[in-house]
Amino acid sequence: MPQTVPSANYGSPYCDYSAFTTDFDLSLLPASPESQVPLSPTNLSPYSYLYPCSPPPMFSTNFDEDGIMCDSLGFVDVKGKTTTDIKTEYDDDDDEGDDEPLQTPLKKTSGGGVGGGGCCFFEENVNFNDKTNDKQYDGYYVKNDEKTIGRNELLIPTTVQTTTGNYYPLTIKQEPMSYGLEYGHHNNPTSPYAIKTETTIDLKEALKETNFTIKYESNQYTTLRNLLKNPCTEESPPSPPHLPRPSPNPPEETTEVKRDHQLLRSVLRDTSFQKKFNIKSFDLTKVPSFDDSNLLHKDIKMEEDDDNNGSAKQQQQQQQQQTTETNEIVEELTSEKIEPVFSLAIEQIRKDVDNTCNLLGISSDPTQWTEDDVKAWLIWTIRQYSLPMIDTNCFKMDGVTFCQLTENDFQQRAPQSSSTLHAHLEIWKAAGNCGDCSSPPSLPLPPPSSSSSSTMIIPNQDLSTVQWSPTMHSSGSSTGGDLSDDDDEDMDYSTSSSSPPPPPSSSNKYLMKDNNQTIKTTTAKTTSGTHIHLWQFLKELLSCPQSHGSCIRWLDREKGVFKIEDSVRVARLWGKRKNRPAMNYDKLSRSIRQYYKKGIMKKTERSQRLVYQFCHPYCL
DNA sequence: TACTAGGAAAATT
DNA sequence: AATTTTCCTAGTA
């Protein structure tokens, strides 16, 4: 009997959110002078949803599709084992292309054993710098030429998504390491849907192209920190301070930023973003175009020019009128409409922090850190952002003390990296529910509004996310003192995990929880990793094409038609998720066929090999 | 050979 | 109890 599920009720028509880009101040998001985006060990970037086919190659550290760092420098994790070593040890599928025959899991586990991570299947090491092929995903075609990526060539995601990896417990069932029928590689290179390789979009170049420059200033994090401190953005829109509206004394860099965010425009033009979040449309025709009027800057110019500009009163009045109008529009935008953008950024950062914590095996709350944790975090941050090396002995202190360091303290201990380190720590303190951190938010948010006018309230979530625990993608770190006894297994498993994040809507739910609840759910995460239905898992993979597009992908997203490109790998991932090392496609497909009767999935009308279709409303 | 389809029973949650 | 796993036979391309 088919399951009954709430139907989606999306607003329509969908509006073009690309118009936001004229007003959206990307400087609110963390960025380094090199356009590096912090906090992303696994999904690489808060902007990653801008690059659904592959993360930008700006990170020196590579990640495989499981979100495992594959730093060629041999990044040392907290367990003292280089990820390079790990990769080598368990590297079972590092094929650059799709033609390499797959080994059997049995071979891969030789010497590893179940508990030793032998059943943790590593996926291919995605080469972010691969420029060999143009890419086609989901019907969108991307010229694989970093220099030429433009509005018309940018891959536009059909859904806003993240690429954060999940981590799951390593209590793998002790099953005989005998593998049943293992179907072979089924990647047909001649298939019109065949995906050749991952593609590369250089964020740095892309941002350059959009004339967007971000000057790295640690104080830019304060606004973001405020947002992180107040995760109830869906229900209570933040106050206008987070607006791109210029402040009375705007920083120099703000006035110099040209806000022609073509990338963001392109992404937001995708109406699935609106659909995904059930965002009501609004009249964007009221939004001024910077290309046309640059209205948002006019009030800045007015103020700046007051002393030395004797422009005509009429012109001033006109400008004031425009400014007032603009402010009203921006006010409206910020109070309600821009929230999805902020929420995405916040959501991304929170997950990134969690995942980094998981990776490093440290608490998401910096005040809980030990000396070693502080050191691990410092090393990671320095590596991640290519900062000058520092003497970690200067930071030999516990988390509480570390959190109380001021920027001046950082300056004394690490002059060249003080600003960056301090800024990142601020982010972590905020994102990590750091209750007793000393830094107060610089711009307190207004109390939550009881108004239901917020467009971020999500009455009808994607079915695939309703049953999804928000904890599944969050940190399993020691936030709640829930560190596993077998840390090695935890680390091995976490570093080999391939799980993409839950769909964004669930993440919104995650964000809507208060801090305490977030901690609780984070703690409970480790027991829910295997509580997932196959159809949910498949949708999860499908929602992360940059990681799993080579093994499963949508053929028709709207109709819920998808194709399993690599049955072995999908089965392997499923087995990994469910701690069933003996899983194979034969069994997986049997489970899928069980869905036929239940009305969850079906074969397409014209049955094609490895092509299935989600039934309505599961395809939503 | 790889996949599809489905019965049946066991295992898991 | 629901779901998934495991094993099986039979069939198709």
Side-chain angles (χ1 to χ4, degrees):
Chain A
M1 184 174 176
Q3 299 179 7
T4 55
V5 295
S7 61
N9 181 23
Y10 302 118
S12 65
Y14 303 139
C15 66
D16 183 357
Y17 279 88
S18 63
F20 281 142
T21 57
T22 55
D23 298 328
F24 181 51
D25 188 353
L26 284 178
S27 65
L28 290 172
L29 300 176
S32 72
E34 297 78 29
S35 295
Q36 290 182 345
V37 183
L39 308 169
S40 302
T42 54
N43 71 358
L44 303 176
S45 166
Y47 304 120
S48 62
Y49 57 86
L50 300 177
Y51 302 89
C53 53
S54 88
M58 60 211 175
F59 297 92
S60 58
T61 301
N62 287 332
F63 298 82
D64 68 11
E65 70 175 14
D66 288 352
I68 306 164
M69 281 196 289
C70 302
D71 193 338
S72 58
L73 297 175
F75 181 83
V76 180
D77 65 29
V78 294
K79 304 303 174 191
K81 178 186 282 186
T82 68
T83 51
T84 303
D85 293 339
I86 296 173
K87 178 70 180 171
T88 302
E89 184 175 349
Y90 302 119
D91 188 6
D92 67 342
D93 196 8
D94 57 350
D95 47 316
E96 293 295 333
D98 293 323
D99 300 324
E100 179 180 324
L102 290 173
Q103 301 170 356
T104 67
L106 191 56
K107 290 178 182 176
K108 295 160 197 159
T109 57
S110 59
V114 171
C119 61
C120 299
F121 304 114
F122 285 81
E123 296 305 314
E124 67 181 350
N125 186 4
V126 176
N127 181 3
F128 296 146
N129 296 310
D130 183 359
K131 304 175 182 177
T132 55
N133 295 296
D134 295 341
K135 310 302 180 304
Q136 185 180 13
Y137 283 108
D138 234 354
Y140 294 95
Y141 190 76
V142 179
K143 290 292 290 181
N144 192 10
D145 180 353
E146 297 173 15
K147 306 282 186 183
T148 61
I149 291 172
R151 181 177 304 186
N152 298 326
E153 294 168 312
L154 177 71
L155 179 68
I156 302 174
T158 52
T159 58
V160 178
Q161 54 205 309
T162 64
T163 61
T164 312
N166 293 342
Y167 303 100
Y168 302 95
L170 194 60
T171 52
I172 297 174
K173 300 172 182 61
Q174 298 292 328
E175 297 186 3
M177 294 304 289
S178 61
Y179 292 81
L181 176 60
E182 188 77 23
Y183 288 129
H185 205 273
H186 193 69
N187 235 5
N188 180 7
T190 62
S191 165
Y193 305 111
I195 298 173
K196 297 172 184 176
T197 60
E198 299 289 342
T199 189
T200 294
I201 296 177
D202 189 328
L203 177 61
K204 188 176 175 180
E205 290 298 322
L207 290 178
K208 277 183 181 176
E209 181 172 320
T210 61
N211 295 324
F212 183 86
T213 58
I214 303 172
K215 190 167 182 178
Y216 189 93
E217 291 292 343
S218 62
N219 59 8
Q220 290 180 339
Y221 285 82
T222 55
T223 303
L224 190 54
R225 185 182 60 209
N226 291 338
L227 290 169
L228 289 163
K229 287 270 190 185
N230 296 271
C232 51
T233 52
E234 291 83 357
E235 291 176 334
S236 55
S239 61
H242 308 304
L243 279 179
R245 181 175 54 188
S247 61
N249 299 302
E252 187 180 347
E253 65 271 17
T254 303
T255 58
E256 292 175 353
V257 167
K258 295 183 178 180
R259 304 181 182 184
D260 185 19
H261 311 309
Q262 294 185 13
L263 286 176
L264 195 55
R265 275 178 177 278
S266 300
V267 171
L268 295 180
R269 190 173 290 116
D270 175 24
T271 56
S272 64
F273 167 86
Q274 185 184 2
K275 179 181 177 181
K276 195 75 181 180
F277 289 90
N278 194 20
I279 297 167
K280 298 172 184 176
S281 60
F282 68 100
D283 185 8
L284 276 172
T285 58
K286 294 192 294 183
V287 178
S289 166
F290 282 91
D291 295 335
D292 299 334
S293 61
N294 212 12
L295 284 177
L296 289 184
H297 292 294
K298 284 195 173 177
D299 55 345
I300 304 176
K301 292 175 181 174
M302 285 172 59
E303 291 181 18
E304 289 175 345
D305 297 345
D306 265 354
D307 294 337
N308 54 8
N309 188 351
S311 58
K313 287 185 178 179
Q314 188 176 4
Q315 187 178 354
Q316 279 196 354
Q317 288 175 349
Q318 188 178 3
Q319 287 178 339
Q320 286 177 341
Q321 186 177 358
Q322 288 175 332
T323 301
T324 303
E325 183 182 348
T326 301
N327 287 344
E328 289 173 358
I329 294 171
V330 172
E331 182 97 22
E332 181 185 358
L333 270 176
T334 304
S335 61
E336 295 187 10
K337 311 303 190 297
I338 201 68
E339 276 312 306
V341 183
F342 281 126
S343 296
L344 282 173
I346 296 166
E347 168 194 342
Q348 195 65 50
I349 290 170
R350 279 187 171 276
K351 284 188 286 188
D352 291 344
V353 168
D354 280 343
N355 286 312
T356 304
C357 290
N358 221 351
L359 193 70
L360 298 178
I362 63 178
S363 168
S364 60
D365 181 357
T367 60
Q368 309 262 330
W369 290 351
T370 63
E371 286 185 14
D372 288 341
D373 293 343
V374 170
K375 186 177 179 181
W377 181 86
L378 285 168
I379 292 174
W380 178 85
T381 306
I382 289 168
R383 287 270 191 173
Q384 185 73 7
Y385 307 110
S386 303
L387 301 176
M389 280 306 296
I390 64 171
D391 182 7
T392 54
N393 290 327
C394 296
F395 293 93
K396 213 168 184 178
M397 59 189 75
D398 60 20
V400 174
T401 310
F402 189 56
C403 286
Q404 290 171 346
L405 293 181
T406 65
E407 189 165 358
N408 285 338
D409 296 329
F410 274 92
Q411 176 70 30
Q412 293 172 359
R413 290 169 170 79
Q416 293 180 292
S417 311
S418 59
S419 174
T420 304
L421 289 172
H422 181 256
H424 282 292
L425 180 60
E426 288 296 300
I427 293 289
W428 280 61
K429 285 157 67 177
N433 303 313
C434 176
D436 55 348
C437 294
S438 55
S439 303
S442 58
L443 293 170
L445 291 173
S449 167
S450 59
S451 167
S452 60
S453 61
S454 171
T455 57
M456 281 308 294
I457 295 175
I458 306 170
N460 300 305
Q461 293 195 342
D462 184 334
L463 174 64
S464 66
T465 68
V466 171
Q467 300 178 33
W468 185 272
S469 166
T471 67
M472 295 183 70
H473 71 286
S474 58
S475 171
S477 67
S478 58
T479 300
D482 193 39
L483 266 180
S484 170
D485 291 333
D486 46 356
D487 285 351
D488 289 340
E489 289 189 359
D490 253 358
M491 178 55 68
D492 285 347
Y493 198 71
S494 62
T495 52
S496 67
S497 174
S498 69
S499 308
S505 53
S506 69
S507 299
N508 280 320
K509 188 166 62 177
Y510 173 77
L511 280 172
M512 288 165 68
K513 299 181 182 302
D514 60 42
N515 289 348
N516 291 336
Q517 191 169 354
T518 301
I519 295 173
K520 288 175 185 173
T521 55
T522 297
T523 304
K525 161 255 164 185
T526 52
T527 59
S528 59
T530 59
H531 295 167
I532 183 174
H533 293 288
L534 175 57
W535 64 270
Q536 289 177 306
F537 176 75
L538 294 174
K539 290 196 75 171
E540 188 180 301
L541 296 184
L542 287 162
S543 71
C544 199
Q546 64 269 52
S547 296
H548 303 104
S550 60
C551 63
I552 185 171
R553 64 187 185 85
W554 291 112
L555 293 185
D556 188 334
R557 177 66 187 86
E558 296 302 313
K559 293 180 179 176
V561 178
F562 67 94
K563 181 175 184 179
I564 296 174
E565 298 283 359
D566 188 338
S567 59
V568 174
R569 184 181 300 170
V570 171
R572 191 183 304 156
L573 291 169
W574 176 233
K576 183 165 64 177
R577 171 65 71 89
K578 295 297 293 289
N579 292 334
R580 309 296 295 196
M583 179 56 60
N584 56 31
Y585 182 71
D586 188 33
K587 297 169 185 173
L588 183 147
S589 64
R590 184 69 193 93
S591 294
I592 290 179
R593 289 194 295 275
Q594 300 282 19
Y595 288 149
Y596 295 169
K597 277 191 276 185
K598 297 174 181 175
I600 297 174
M601 287 169 61
K602 60 184 178 183
K603 292 292 284 185
T604 52
E605 288 185 10
R606 209 186 87 197
S607 183
Q608 296 172 272
R609 280 190 146 202
L610 296 167
V611 175
Y612 297 92
Q613 182 174 10
F614 284 101
C615 302
H616 188 83
Y618 293 86
C619 58
L620 296 177

